[in-house]
Amino acid sequence: MKAHKPLVIGNWKLNPATLGKARKLFTEIRDRYGRRKSAINAVVAPPFPFISEIERLSPSRRIELAAQDVFFESTGAYTGEVSLPMLKSVGVSYVMVGHSERRARGETDEDVYRDVQVVLKNKTQVVICVGEKARDDHGNYFGVVEAQLRAALRDVKKTWLPNVIIAYEPIWAIGTGNTATPEDAREMKLFIAKILTDRFGRKEAKKVRIIYGGSVKKGNAAALLETGEVDGFLVGGASLRPADFVSILNTAVEYVKNSQAT
Ligand code: 13P
């Protein structure tokens, strides 16, 4: 049986265009997903202005909330920023940090480090996004992921690890339809687990969930869980289509059921 509850996060990115559309998207996901499923953590990450309204639409928290980013200071003269206490106060339980689309806009390893620190010091779950731009024949992409991970995990204490999630999102797979194969996802998952073990020891490292993102669809989710052995998904495009997203959630629910039966 799997050690972890699968975690599936729908990252809405800069979508949808209006609050009305966000309400509709969430309501459809919530109603299709239905009740009585606590076998997995089902999460959506809406844009900041929509979070409190979505929270109001899910009072039972069967679907939890993530933020797509955070600023490392909690208060002060920082025009345009959003802090962790603000996010917690509107019901956010997970905060994504270092998404490649933010790194592409200038976020550095040092920024990611500071964000990770503020989230974990405030006892909130952090989703640290890592991933290489491209693959090469020499395996240099392992070094890229390792450097991102080591920078993000600097000063992270062992006792914080139950709140740490690593999302492996190879940039070449994001929004391209080129999903990593289950074998590639598994290989990188094992590599990340090894780095965590080196840093924190085997027992502690096992507390960290390692999820995959990059063109996850209803058609490839089962194989990524079964063969890829990932602990869940970060879903972009498909999370904006309620039927597709709920089908991915249900695949994870089924996966848990089947692994409990064996
Ligand atoms: P896609 O699922 O659209 O490839 O996006 C993945 C992603 O970036 C999720 O954070």
Side-chain angles (χ1 to χ4, degrees), residues 11 13 96 99 101 169 173-176 213-216 234-238:
N11 176 12
K13 307 190 179 181
M96 294 164 52
H99 191 282
E101 288 153 15
E169 292 207 297
I174 296 179
T176 58
S215 299
V216 175
L234 195 45
V235 185

Side-chain angles (χ1 to χ4, degrees), residues 99-255:
H99 191 282
S100 60
E101 288 153 15
R102 299 219 50 85
R103 292 182 193 258
R105 297 183 54 78
E107 203 164 282
T108 63
D109 276 346
E110 192 58 27
D111 296 324
V112 174
Y113 161 79
R114 286 193 298 212
D115 292 352
V116 169
Q117 289 287 310
V118 74
V119 178
L120 291 174
K121 281 181 180 161
N122 285 280
K123 300 186 170 32
T124 304
Q125 308 214 52
V126 71
V127 182
I128 302 170
C129 304
V130 296
E132 76 281 1
K133 276 203 183 72
R135 290 234 159 170
D136 58 87
D137 294 338
H138 311 289
N140 290 333
Y141 50 94
F142 287 112
V144 172
V145 169
E146 177 166 5
Q148 289 176 339
L149 262 183
R150 290 201 187 275
L153 294 172
R154 179 159 57 92
D155 301 331
V156 166
K157 298 188 167 66
K158 277 185 185 179
T159 51
W160 298 348
L161 291 180
N163 280 338
V164 174
I165 294 129
I166 309 294
Y168 170 56
E169 292 207 297
I171 297 172
W172 49 267
I174 296 179
T176 58
N178 280 336
T179 322
T181 62
E183 290 74 19
D184 285 345
R186 180 169 182 274
E187 185 182 38
M188 189 56 87
K189 185 201 160 170
L190 294 175
F191 177 72
I192 292 169
K194 184 183 169 302
I195 292 169
L196 294 169
T197 301
D198 285 352
R199 170 82 165 70
F200 300 104
R202 204 172 132 76
K203 187 164 155 253
E204 302 298 326
K206 278 185 181 292
K207 296 181 178 158
V208 177
R209 285 187 280 192
I210 303 170
I211 65 176
Y212 168 81
S215 299
V216 175
K217 299 174 252 210
K218 56 183 179 179
N220 55 31
L224 284 162
L225 288 169
E226 284 157 20
T227 311
E229 294 181 16
V230 295
D231 300 314
F233 303 118
L234 195 45
V235 185
S239 73
L240 300 171
R241 298 187 294 274
D244 289 4
F245 186 56
V246 172
S247 166
I248 295 168
L249 294 175
N250 286 337
T251 300
V253 172
E254 281 304 307
Y255 175 73

